[in-house]
Amino acid sequence: MTVWKLKCTECGNVWELRTGMDISKLKDGRIYHYCPYCKRNTFHVIVGREDEA
Ligand SMILES: [Zn+2]
């Protein structure tokens, strides 16, 4: 699993997403995902990643 640090472009909050997917390969570098702060789908940018065992 990889822990992705995603920053919401709407509210600016950074939160962590755990997934086995490599979301860094998305073509425009932005991820459309549900934001737990906005409570709706927004664009996010990747600000960090950590690999978990
Ligand atoms: Zn947000």
Side-chain angles (χ1 to χ4, degrees):
M1 294 288 272
T2 302
V3 181
W4 299 91
K5 289 192 178 3
L6 299 181
K7 182 175 183 180
C8 174
T9 60
E10 292 292 322
C11 65
N13 282 300
V14 176
W15 53 278
E16 294 181 346
L17 172 69
R18 281 176 173 73
T19 178
M21 287 191 308
D22 186 356
I23 59 175
S24 69
K25 299 248 185 336
L26 296 178
K27 58 182 180 213
D28 64 358
R30 295 196 305 170
I31 299 103
Y32 195 60
H33 199 279
Y34 182 82
C35 172
Y37 296 94
C38 296
K39 302 202 187 317
R40 63 187 175 88
N41 287 330
T42 62
F43 284 105
H44 294 74
V45 291
I46 300 171
V47 295
R49 68 172 286 180
E50 288 170 30
D51 289 310
E52 267 185 349

